[in-house]
Amino acid sequence: GQNIDQPTEMTATEGAIVQINCTYQTSGFNGLFWYQQHAGEAPTFLSYNVLDGLEEKGRFSSFLSRSKGYSYLLLKELQMKDSASYLCAVRDLAGNMLTFGGGTRLMVKP
Amino acid sequence: ETGVTQTPRHLVMGMTNKKSLKCEQHLGHNAMYWYKQSAKKPLELMFVYNFKEQTENNSVPSRFSPECPNSSHLFLHLHTLQPEDSALYLCASSQNGELFFGEGSRLTVL
């Protein structure tokens, strides 16, 4: 089975840094994805980690530790438009299916 | 624009109605998915199709009936739904595990 946990809500200030954590216990692992979903819109791809370490992409970075079943998404220089839900998802061994966590709703305040 | 188009965007139906949701992808992907997104719940995988063949049915009630006539089109036929089926239904396609989502169809069952 798959169990993926992330905080339900977080609040941060414009210009600050925020870290969104995700822990997982899965029967198989073949990569971890982060998606961003604005209210009323489709989830969009942010990052993908399959090996341990940090992947940096502009203001967003994602970290993975497979031994700890842990990932985080780091958002720097927060902007108001970063207010959204952030979804952590684990891919199965066959590579065909993603199982999602409940999502973290991030509110960025001025 | 993610390359995945869903219609209708909003649907209201009674419990005795029959309706269908449509999804079309213009990305040349081989896999297509239906996910259900309810308030305060993780994205739930419903069905997976690979090369038009259903490879996953995640214990979905028979009142939801998928159809995949070709690799670019996916339907979800709805019949005698319950109010608790009200949710956002998201279609997605993928080639190598990364999902590309449509905007979703917001379904309300009265």
Side-chain angles (χ1 to χ4, degrees), chain A residues 34-46 60 73 81-88 100-106, chain B residues 6 9 35-38 41-43 88-90 101-106:
Chain A
W34 283 96
Y35 280 80
Q36 180 191 59
Q37 186 178 22
H38 285 100
E41 297 183 13
T44 54
F45 170 80
L46 283 180
F60 292 6
L73 181 69
K81 67 178 183 179
D82 297 328
S83 294
S85 288
Y86 292 85
L87 311 177
C88 171
F100 285 82
T104 299
R105 186 179 168 208
L106 174 66
Chain B
Q6 290 187 242
R9 293 293 310 277
Y35 278 87
K36 177 183 178 182
Q37 189 172 38
S38 304
K41 282 188 175 181
L43 272 169
L88 181 68
Y89 289 85
L90 288 162
F101 286 92
E103 300 279 355
S105 293
R106 173 72 61 186

Side-chain angles (χ1 to χ4, degrees), chain A residues 51-97:
Chain A
L51 300 176
D52 290 353
L54 188 68
E55 294 281 341
E56 296 187 75
K57 191 186 288 187
R59 293 190 298 114
F60 292 6
S61 303
S62 57
F63 172 84
L64 176 67
S65 168
R66 289 172 297 171
S67 62
K68 295 180 180 178
Y70 167 69
S71 172
Y72 66 73
L73 181 69
L74 193 71
L75 292 77
K76 303 176 187 175
E77 301 169 18
L78 279 173
Q79 302 175 9
M80 299 299 292
K81 67 178 183 179
D82 297 328
S83 294
S85 288
Y86 292 85
L87 311 177
C88 171
V90 172
R91 184 164 68 178
D92 68 339
L93 283 175
N96 290 328
M97 298 200 318

Side-chain angles (χ1 to χ4, degrees), chain B residues 56-71:
Chain B
E56 187 75 21
N57 176 338
N58 203 22
S59 303
V60 181
S62 59
R63 57 186 184 268
F64 295 91
S65 173
E67 179 190 358
C68 190
N70 54 61
S71 295

